[in-house]
Amino acid sequence: MNKRLISLIGAAVMLFTATGCAPKVASAKLTAPEQPDVYYFDRFGDEVMPIGGYVGPTAGFGYNGNYMPSQITDYHYKQVSDCGLNFVTGMNSDYKINAQDVLDGLRYADNNDVMYFVQDTYLYEVDDETADDPSRYLNVTLEEYQERVSIYSSSPAFAGLEGRDEPFANMFPQMQKILEYFNATFDDNKILYMNSNSYQCPSNWFGGGPNGTAEEAAMDIDGYMTAWFESFPSLGYYSYDTYPFTTNEPFYIRTDIMENYSKVREYSQRYGVPFWTFMQAGGEWGGKNSGWRVPTEGECLWQVSTALAFGAKGYTWYPYNIPPESPSTTESCGALVGRAGQKLEPWYHAQKANMQTKACDHILMKSVYKGLIQVKSGKPDSTNKCEIPAIEMNLPDVVGGKFREVTHITGDNSITGCFNYQGRTMLYAVNNSVQNDNAKVYIHLDDVYKATVIQRAQEYTVTGNVIELTFAAGEGACIVLN
């Protein structure tokens, strides 16, 4: 255990035992358990959160006159697992073009407890032309489809098929037909991988993209999200991406990121579907000074911590590998893994964040989001511009900064997600700062309780009526009242 965590535990214990006598400990209040909306891989069970990488280990490709060797190896899939990921998607290997790469990928993924989404454009492709022509929705009959997928779907690592990343609403009828074939072939432990448009999509693209009609261009994000959830009720999850670090300005965070979280949370609960989000894994995707700056360790932690506080039930790092089709991306920082398969600095940031998630996902996956408590300290911070919609702090169970045993929270900038964990109170407290590396957060309770705290992937117990937490930039902690 590191020295900083020991001192953190010591401070908490001192706070609760300073009176010199053991206080009477109350039992946490119990309420009716609620069933969370989750998707999980049967291989790992319902207490393991899906954590993925988009653009998994790549086949060999040419770059600047050099050949980048294939990363479809056991070594590189172990690297995926070591980072704390349990699935890969957005693969550049297509079964139609190079079947052996896909079969090898499935084998190495299986060896390392990683699930794999297969791309096979022999079955279908989704673009403006195919979406406009129902006769081209699929390239095969259902019988041919089922015979084809049987070749690779028997692998224990097979998670499902790649569908379409960020389809526009005019593509939904084609995606519905593709999903119909998928559901007729697989049980509900396999999913068609689809990722939604979000706030980073140009406002007039939701209906039909850059080439849409005037009617399609009039669709806003609410119309798009309503159409999504009503078009794909059997999909089983909702995934979207909004990247927060979009300029070269240090510590800048796009200001609508919290609004996007709130909207996704709202639709997710309305339709009873768990949501997954994306984490920005690198930057300089167009070269140096091109925007998309590289997130710091604190910013990587903050992305994951914030998602968990809003009730996310899965997430995906983008990109895991530098995409072969992105030659201008800076080699040293553009992804978790470089073109030659080497770990880049963001890999270690992601691993640290993932280890915390994995230490408490057995709790997170069993918890139902009830709202947020926010503390604004008044200190200058880039997150101050990221306004959280008031609805999150005024849901029926969380009003006036109170939640069950929690009377109020004080200290530095923070957000605390409030949850029903099988009838008990669970909190996910977050240092809502990517700059303050020594933040203090105090959770005040209405009596003396014993609480389990999981922070930095370590678990400890505290007893008292105030829980004191010390956070590095972007860190989060899971707290359960016993």
Short mmCIF file of all heavy atoms in Angstrom, two decimals, residues 421-456:
data_model
loop_
_atom_site.label_atom_id
_atom_site.label_comp_id
_atom_site.label_asym_id
_atom_site.label_seq_id
_atom_site.Cartn_x
_atom_site.Cartn_y
_atom_site.Cartn_z
N TYR A 421 -27.77 1.02 -3.44
CA TYR A 421 -27.01 -0.21 -3.62
C TYR A 421 -27.69 -1.33 -2.83
O TYR A 421 -27.48 -1.47 -1.64
CB TYR A 421 -25.57 -0.02 -3.15
CG TYR A 421 -24.76 -1.30 -3.05
CD1 TYR A 421 -24.69 -2.19 -4.13
CD2 TYR A 421 -24.08 -1.64 -1.89
CE1 TYR A 421 -23.97 -3.35 -4.05
CE2 TYR A 421 -23.34 -2.80 -1.79
CZ TYR A 421 -23.29 -3.66 -2.87
OH TYR A 421 -22.56 -4.85 -2.80
N GLN A 422 -28.57 -2.05 -3.49
CA GLN A 422 -29.29 -3.16 -2.88
C GLN A 422 -29.96 -2.73 -1.56
O GLN A 422 -29.94 -3.45 -0.58
CB GLN A 422 -28.34 -4.34 -2.66
CG GLN A 422 -27.77 -4.87 -3.97
CD GLN A 422 -26.86 -6.06 -3.80
OE1 GLN A 422 -26.16 -6.18 -2.80
NE2 GLN A 422 -26.86 -6.95 -4.78
N GLY A 423 -30.52 -1.52 -1.58
CA GLY A 423 -31.23 -1.01 -0.42
C GLY A 423 -30.39 -0.13 0.49
O GLY A 423 -30.92 0.53 1.39
N ARG A 424 -29.07 -0.11 0.28
CA ARG A 424 -28.18 0.70 1.10
C ARG A 424 -27.68 1.93 0.33
O ARG A 424 -27.80 2.00 -0.90
CB ARG A 424 -26.98 -0.13 1.58
CG ARG A 424 -27.33 -1.18 2.60
CD ARG A 424 -26.09 -1.86 3.13
NE ARG A 424 -25.51 -2.76 2.16
CZ ARG A 424 -24.26 -3.22 2.21
NH1 ARG A 424 -23.46 -2.80 3.17
NH2 ARG A 424 -23.82 -4.07 1.31
N THR A 425 -27.09 2.85 1.05
CA THR A 425 -26.55 4.06 0.45
C THR A 425 -25.16 3.80 -0.11
O THR A 425 -24.27 3.31 0.60
CB THR A 425 -26.47 5.20 1.48
OG1 THR A 425 -27.81 5.55 1.86
CG2 THR A 425 -25.76 6.41 0.93
N MET A 426 -24.98 4.10 -1.39
CA MET A 426 -23.66 4.10 -2.00
C MET A 426 -23.41 5.48 -2.58
O MET A 426 -24.31 6.08 -3.18
CB MET A 426 -23.54 3.04 -3.09
CG MET A 426 -22.11 2.84 -3.61
SD MET A 426 -21.58 3.98 -4.90
CE MET A 426 -22.22 3.17 -6.37
N LEU A 427 -22.22 5.99 -2.41
CA LEU A 427 -21.82 7.29 -2.94
C LEU A 427 -20.59 7.11 -3.81
O LEU A 427 -19.72 6.29 -3.49
CB LEU A 427 -21.50 8.26 -1.80
CG LEU A 427 -22.56 8.42 -0.70
CD1 LEU A 427 -21.98 9.19 0.48
CD2 LEU A 427 -23.80 9.12 -1.25
N TYR A 428 -20.55 7.83 -4.93
CA TYR A 428 -19.30 7.89 -5.70
C TYR A 428 -18.85 9.34 -5.72
O TYR A 428 -19.40 10.17 -6.44
CB TYR A 428 -19.45 7.34 -7.12
CG TYR A 428 -18.10 6.85 -7.62
CD1 TYR A 428 -17.68 5.55 -7.36
CD2 TYR A 428 -17.22 7.71 -8.27
CE1 TYR A 428 -16.42 5.10 -7.75
CE2 TYR A 428 -15.97 7.27 -8.66
CZ TYR A 428 -15.57 5.96 -8.40
OH TYR A 428 -14.31 5.53 -8.78
N ALA A 429 -17.89 9.64 -4.85
CA ALA A 429 -17.40 11.01 -4.67
C ALA A 429 -16.23 11.27 -5.59
O ALA A 429 -15.35 10.41 -5.74
CB ALA A 429 -17.00 11.23 -3.22
N VAL A 430 -16.20 12.47 -6.18
CA VAL A 430 -15.20 12.80 -7.21
C VAL A 430 -14.60 14.17 -6.93
O VAL A 430 -15.33 15.13 -6.67
CB VAL A 430 -15.85 12.80 -8.62
CG1 VAL A 430 -14.82 13.17 -9.68
CG2 VAL A 430 -16.48 11.45 -8.92
N ASN A 431 -13.29 14.25 -7.01
CA ASN A 431 -12.63 15.55 -7.04
C ASN A 431 -12.92 16.19 -8.39
O ASN A 431 -12.33 15.81 -9.40
CB ASN A 431 -11.12 15.38 -6.83
CG ASN A 431 -10.35 16.69 -6.98
OD1 ASN A 431 -10.94 17.77 -7.04
ND2 ASN A 431 -9.02 16.58 -7.03
N ASN A 432 -13.84 17.15 -8.41
CA ASN A 432 -14.25 17.76 -9.68
C ASN A 432 -13.25 18.85 -10.08
O ASN A 432 -13.60 20.01 -10.30
CB ASN A 432 -15.66 18.35 -9.56
CG ASN A 432 -16.23 18.75 -10.91
OD1 ASN A 432 -15.90 18.16 -11.93
ND2 ASN A 432 -17.07 19.77 -10.92
N SER A 433 -11.99 18.45 -10.13
CA SER A 433 -10.92 19.35 -10.54
C SER A 433 -9.85 18.51 -11.21
O SER A 433 -9.49 17.43 -10.72
CB SER A 433 -10.31 20.08 -9.35
OG SER A 433 -9.14 20.79 -9.75
N VAL A 434 -9.35 19.01 -12.33
CA VAL A 434 -8.22 18.35 -12.99
C VAL A 434 -6.91 19.07 -12.65
O VAL A 434 -5.87 18.75 -13.21
CB VAL A 434 -8.43 18.30 -14.52
CG1 VAL A 434 -9.65 17.45 -14.86
CG2 VAL A 434 -8.58 19.70 -15.10
N GLN A 435 -6.99 20.03 -11.73
CA GLN A 435 -5.82 20.83 -11.36
C GLN A 435 -5.45 20.70 -9.88
O GLN A 435 -4.27 20.71 -9.54
CB GLN A 435 -6.09 22.31 -11.69
CG GLN A 435 -6.26 22.57 -13.18
CD GLN A 435 -6.88 23.92 -13.46
OE1 GLN A 435 -8.09 24.04 -13.63
NE2 GLN A 435 -6.06 24.95 -13.51
N ASN A 436 -6.43 20.56 -9.01
CA ASN A 436 -6.17 20.49 -7.58
C ASN A 436 -5.73 19.08 -7.21
O ASN A 436 -6.51 18.14 -7.25
CB ASN A 436 -7.43 20.87 -6.80
CG ASN A 436 -7.18 20.93 -5.30
OD1 ASN A 436 -6.12 20.55 -4.80
ND2 ASN A 436 -8.18 21.40 -4.56
N ASP A 437 -4.48 18.92 -6.83
CA ASP A 437 -3.91 17.61 -6.56
C ASP A 437 -3.95 17.25 -5.07
O ASP A 437 -3.35 16.26 -4.66
CB ASP A 437 -2.47 17.56 -7.06
CG ASP A 437 -2.03 16.14 -7.40
OD1 ASP A 437 -2.86 15.36 -7.90
OD2 ASP A 437 -0.84 15.83 -7.17
N ASN A 438 -4.64 18.07 -4.28
CA ASN A 438 -4.75 17.78 -2.85
C ASN A 438 -6.11 18.27 -2.35
O ASN A 438 -6.20 19.06 -1.41
CB ASN A 438 -3.61 18.44 -2.08
CG ASN A 438 -3.55 18.01 -0.63
OD1 ASN A 438 -3.83 16.86 -0.30
ND2 ASN A 438 -3.21 18.93 0.25
N ALA A 439 -7.15 17.78 -2.97
CA ALA A 439 -8.51 18.23 -2.65
C ALA A 439 -9.04 17.52 -1.42
O ALA A 439 -8.78 16.33 -1.21
CB ALA A 439 -9.43 17.99 -3.84
N LYS A 440 -9.79 18.25 -0.61
CA LYS A 440 -10.42 17.70 0.58
C LYS A 440 -11.94 17.72 0.39
O LYS A 440 -12.52 18.73 -0.02
CB LYS A 440 -10.09 18.53 1.82
CG LYS A 440 -8.60 18.60 2.14
CD LYS A 440 -8.07 17.28 2.68
CE LYS A 440 -6.63 17.44 3.18
NZ LYS A 440 -6.11 16.15 3.69
N VAL A 441 -12.57 16.60 0.68
CA VAL A 441 -14.02 16.49 0.60
C VAL A 441 -14.52 15.87 1.91
O VAL A 441 -13.98 14.86 2.37
CB VAL A 441 -14.46 15.61 -0.60
CG1 VAL A 441 -15.96 15.41 -0.61
CG2 VAL A 441 -14.00 16.25 -1.92
N TYR A 442 -15.55 16.49 2.49
CA TYR A 442 -16.10 16.04 3.76
C TYR A 442 -17.57 15.68 3.57
O TYR A 442 -18.39 16.53 3.21
CB TYR A 442 -15.97 17.14 4.83
CG TYR A 442 -14.55 17.62 5.03
CD1 TYR A 442 -14.08 18.73 4.31
CD2 TYR A 442 -13.69 16.99 5.92
CE1 TYR A 442 -12.78 19.18 4.48
CE2 TYR A 442 -12.39 17.44 6.10
CZ TYR A 442 -11.94 18.53 5.37
OH TYR A 442 -10.65 18.97 5.53
N ILE A 443 -17.89 14.42 3.82
CA ILE A 443 -19.27 13.95 3.70
C ILE A 443 -19.84 13.85 5.11
O ILE A 443 -19.40 13.04 5.94
CB ILE A 443 -19.32 12.58 2.99
CG1 ILE A 443 -18.71 12.69 1.59
CG2 ILE A 443 -20.76 12.06 2.92
CD1 ILE A 443 -18.55 11.35 0.88
N HIS A 444 -20.83 14.71 5.40
CA HIS A 444 -21.43 14.81 6.74
C HIS A 444 -22.67 13.92 6.80
O HIS A 444 -23.55 13.98 5.93
CB HIS A 444 -21.81 16.26 7.03
CG HIS A 444 -20.64 17.21 6.98
ND1 HIS A 444 -19.97 17.63 8.10
CD2 HIS A 444 -20.02 17.79 5.92
CE1 HIS A 444 -18.98 18.45 7.75
NE2 HIS A 444 -18.99 18.56 6.42
N LEU A 445 -22.75 13.12 7.88
CA LEU A 445 -23.83 12.15 8.05
C LEU A 445 -24.69 12.51 9.26
O LEU A 445 -24.26 13.26 10.15
CB LEU A 445 -23.24 10.75 8.23
CG LEU A 445 -22.23 10.31 7.15
CD1 LEU A 445 -21.57 9.00 7.55
CD2 LEU A 445 -22.90 10.19 5.80
N ASP A 446 -25.89 11.97 9.30
CA ASP A 446 -26.82 12.32 10.38
C ASP A 446 -26.61 11.51 11.66
O ASP A 446 -27.31 11.69 12.65
CB ASP A 446 -28.27 12.20 9.90
CG ASP A 446 -28.66 10.77 9.52
OD1 ASP A 446 -27.87 9.83 9.78
OD2 ASP A 446 -29.76 10.59 8.96
N ASP A 447 -25.64 10.59 11.65
CA ASP A 447 -25.33 9.79 12.82
C ASP A 447 -23.94 9.19 12.61
O ASP A 447 -23.29 9.44 11.59
CB ASP A 447 -26.39 8.68 13.00
CG ASP A 447 -26.56 8.25 14.45
OD1 ASP A 447 -25.57 8.38 15.22
OD2 ASP A 447 -27.66 7.80 14.82
N VAL A 448 -23.52 8.39 13.54
CA VAL A 448 -22.23 7.70 13.43
C VAL A 448 -22.46 6.37 12.71
O VAL A 448 -23.28 5.54 13.15
CB VAL A 448 -21.61 7.46 14.82
CG1 VAL A 448 -20.34 6.62 14.71
CG2 VAL A 448 -21.31 8.79 15.50
N TYR A 449 -21.76 6.18 11.60
CA TYR A 449 -21.90 4.97 10.81
C TYR A 449 -20.53 4.37 10.51
O TYR A 449 -19.51 5.07 10.52
CB TYR A 449 -22.59 5.27 9.47
CG TYR A 449 -23.99 5.81 9.59
CD1 TYR A 449 -24.24 7.18 9.54
CD2 TYR A 449 -25.08 4.94 9.74
CE1 TYR A 449 -25.53 7.68 9.64
CE2 TYR A 449 -26.37 5.43 9.84
CZ TYR A 449 -26.58 6.80 9.80
OH TYR A 449 -27.86 7.28 9.91
N LYS A 450 -20.55 3.10 10.19
CA LYS A 450 -19.37 2.44 9.64
C LYS A 450 -19.51 2.45 8.12
O LYS A 450 -20.60 2.18 7.59
CB LYS A 450 -19.25 1.01 10.16
CG LYS A 450 -18.00 0.27 9.64
CD LYS A 450 -17.89 -1.13 10.24
CE LYS A 450 -17.47 -1.04 11.69
NZ LYS A 450 -17.19 -2.39 12.25
N ALA A 451 -18.44 2.79 7.42
CA ALA A 451 -18.49 2.87 5.96
C ALA A 451 -17.30 2.16 5.35
O ALA A 451 -16.19 2.19 5.89
CB ALA A 451 -18.51 4.33 5.51
N THR A 452 -17.54 1.51 4.23
CA THR A 452 -16.47 0.93 3.42
C THR A 452 -16.11 1.92 2.33
O THR A 452 -16.99 2.41 1.61
CB THR A 452 -16.91 -0.40 2.80
OG1 THR A 452 -17.23 -1.32 3.84
CG2 THR A 452 -15.82 -0.98 1.92
N VAL A 453 -14.83 2.21 2.19
CA VAL A 453 -14.33 3.15 1.18
C VAL A 453 -13.39 2.40 0.25
O VAL A 453 -12.51 1.66 0.70
CB VAL A 453 -13.59 4.35 1.82
CG1 VAL A 453 -13.10 5.32 0.76
CG2 VAL A 453 -14.49 5.06 2.83
N ILE A 454 -13.58 2.59 -1.05
CA ILE A 454 -12.67 2.02 -2.04
C ILE A 454 -12.09 3.18 -2.84
O ILE A 454 -12.82 3.89 -3.54
CB ILE A 454 -13.37 1.03 -2.98
CG1 ILE A 454 -14.00 -0.12 -2.17
CG2 ILE A 454 -12.38 0.46 -4.01
CD1 ILE A 454 -14.86 -1.06 -2.97
N GLN A 455 -10.79 3.39 -2.70
CA GLN A 455 -10.10 4.50 -3.36
C GLN A 455 -8.72 4.03 -3.78
O GLN A 455 -8.04 3.33 -3.02
CB GLN A 455 -9.99 5.69 -2.42
CG GLN A 455 -9.36 6.92 -3.07
CD GLN A 455 -9.28 8.11 -2.13
OE1 GLN A 455 -9.67 8.03 -0.97
NE2 GLN A 455 -8.77 9.23 -2.63
N ARG A 456 -8.30 4.40 -4.99
CA ARG A 456 -7.02 3.96 -5.54
C ARG A 456 -6.91 2.44 -5.51
O ARG A 456 -5.85 1.87 -5.24
CB ARG A 456 -5.85 4.61 -4.81
CG ARG A 456 -5.87 6.13 -4.94
CD ARG A 456 -4.84 6.82 -4.09
NE ARG A 456 -5.22 8.23 -3.98
CZ ARG A 456 -4.82 9.03 -3.00
NH1 ARG A 456 -4.03 8.58 -2.05
NH2 ARG A 456 -5.21 10.28 -2.97
#
